[in-house]
């Protein structure tokens, strides 16, 4: 039957199936089973990651690079919150909707680690399509057992205790974008030991992390990114990636917003190395805390 179906499709013949089980191409399933499989897994993920070691806000190139670095530490739980249905940010294409992705050295070493092929052009490399990088790193991040991505979900605020960022306040993105058109809809919360803010440059939901720190009085100002200067910008973005307030590391283009650094335009090496650095900083913080807890438990035993 399946061979006949395949042959008919190749001929462009319209195929109709009778209701009998012997005529079906796919195995039968009840609609309620599909619903339960989706909802039980999602709710379990929400339960499990309500308290994560690291929360990454934003799944663009820097956020994914941070998550990839943290995937190397299976004992560190990571929740990624991405406001868009489709993660990846602006890394699906190069500049001005062109396909190729330009990556200045030494960031090609990160591509080697992830397993993305490129053309070596001397001082820089070229990935033939930006989507090749994004799809490859995303597949590896999502396959990691210690990482869960919640997309179509927005970070609306932070949990702050004693001047330390201790988690995020979330809602469905469609709710966040329409608070002014409906009655108040309260959010959800996720606790963490570290938040990595990778929300990108200023925009409708961009640079949210640093803008909220300003409005909450935790930093004085976020001057915004300066005009384009590739040679200055990429070094600055990586060098200035750090924990800006206790509990919150800023990475990627959001660094330019909080530091007033130039934008780099259509080169992506800084996004990769900034995200990698953020992941390493978060991992070091969590691993040190885990070691201290283990030593305390051993001493009390």
């Amino acid at each position: 039957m399946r061979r006949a179906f395949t042959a008919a499709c190749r001929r462009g013949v319209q195929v109709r199936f009778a209701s009998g089980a012997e005529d079906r191409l796919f195995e039968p399933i009840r609609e309620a089973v599909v619903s339960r499989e989706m909802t039980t897994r999602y709710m379990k993920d929400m339960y499990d990651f309500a308290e994560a070691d690291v929360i990454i806000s934003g799944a663009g190139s820097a956020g994914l690079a941070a998550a990839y670095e943290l995937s190397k530490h299976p004992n560190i739980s990571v929740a990624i919150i991405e406001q868009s249905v489709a993660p990846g940010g602006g890394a699906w294409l190069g500049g001005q909707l062109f396909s190729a992705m330009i990556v200045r050295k030494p960031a090609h070493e990160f591509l080697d680690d992830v397993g993305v092929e490129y053309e070596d052009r001397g001082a820089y490399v070229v990935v033939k399509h930006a989507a090749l990088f994004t799809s490859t790193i995303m597949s590896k991040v999502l396959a990691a057992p210690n990482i869960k991505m919640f997309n179509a979900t927005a970070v609306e605020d932070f949990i702050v205790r004693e001047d330390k960022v201790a988690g995020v306040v979330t809602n469905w993105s469609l709710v966040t974008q329409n608070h002014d058109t409906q009655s108040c809809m309260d959010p959800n919360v996720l606790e963490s030991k570290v938040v990595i803010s990778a929300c990108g440059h200023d925009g409708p939901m961009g640079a949210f992390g640093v803008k909220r720190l300003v409005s909450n009085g935790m930093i004085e100002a976020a001057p915004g990114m300066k005009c384009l200067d590739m040679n200055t910008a990429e070094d600055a973005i990586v060098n200035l990636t750090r924990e800006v307030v206790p509990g919150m590391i800023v990475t990627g283009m959001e660094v330019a917003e909080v530091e007033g650094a130039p934008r780099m335009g259509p080169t992506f090496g800084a996004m990769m190395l900034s995200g990698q650095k953020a992941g390493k900083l978060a991992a070091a913080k969590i691993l040190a805390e885990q070691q201290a807890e283990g030593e305390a438990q051993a001493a009390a035993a």
Side-chain angles (χ1 to χ4, degrees), residues 31-101:
E31 285 79 2
V33 171
V34 176
S35 178
R36 289 186 179 117
E37 291 291 354
M38 292 190 300
T39 55
T40 54
R41 282 166 169 73
Y42 197 88
M43 294 306 167
K44 184 179 185 305
D45 286 334
M46 293 184 72
Y47 181 91
D48 290 342
F49 287 90
E51 189 173 1
D53 291 320
V54 181
I55 293 174
I56 300 174
S57 177
S61 50
L64 289 173
Y68 178 77
E69 184 63 31
L70 288 163
S71 72
K72 301 174 183 178
H73 302 278
N75 292 327
I76 296 178
S77 60
V78 182
I80 306 173
I81 312 298
E82 167 55 42
Q83 61 89 17
S84 177
V85 171
W92 289 108
L93 290 165
Q96 199 169 312
L97 306 183
F98 300 149
S99 301
M101 172 181 273

Side-chain angles (χ1 to χ4, degrees), residues 195-217:
V195 171
I196 296 177
S197 192
C199 298
H201 55 69
D202 196 15
M205 302 185 89
F208 170 80
V210 296
K211 288 189 287 188
R212 187 66 180 109
L213 293 182
V214 172
S215 64
N216 199 49

Side-chain angles (χ1 to χ4, degrees), residues 100-153:
M101 172 181 273
I102 314 303
V103 178
R104 295 168 62 203
K105 293 182 177 181
H108 69 296
E109 295 173 356
F110 184 78
L111 295 175
D112 291 336
D113 190 21
V114 176
V116 177
E117 294 184 355
Y118 53 78
E119 176 187 352
D120 195 321
R121 300 288 291 171
Y124 61 92
V125 301
V126 181
V127 179
K128 69 176 183 179
H129 201 298
L132 178 61
F133 163 76
T134 304
S135 59
T136 302
I137 192 171
M138 194 182 304
S139 68
K140 297 192 174 184
V141 164
L142 294 178
N146 60 319
I147 297 177
K148 169 63 183 180
M149 180 185 292
F150 298 93
N151 48 324
T153 305

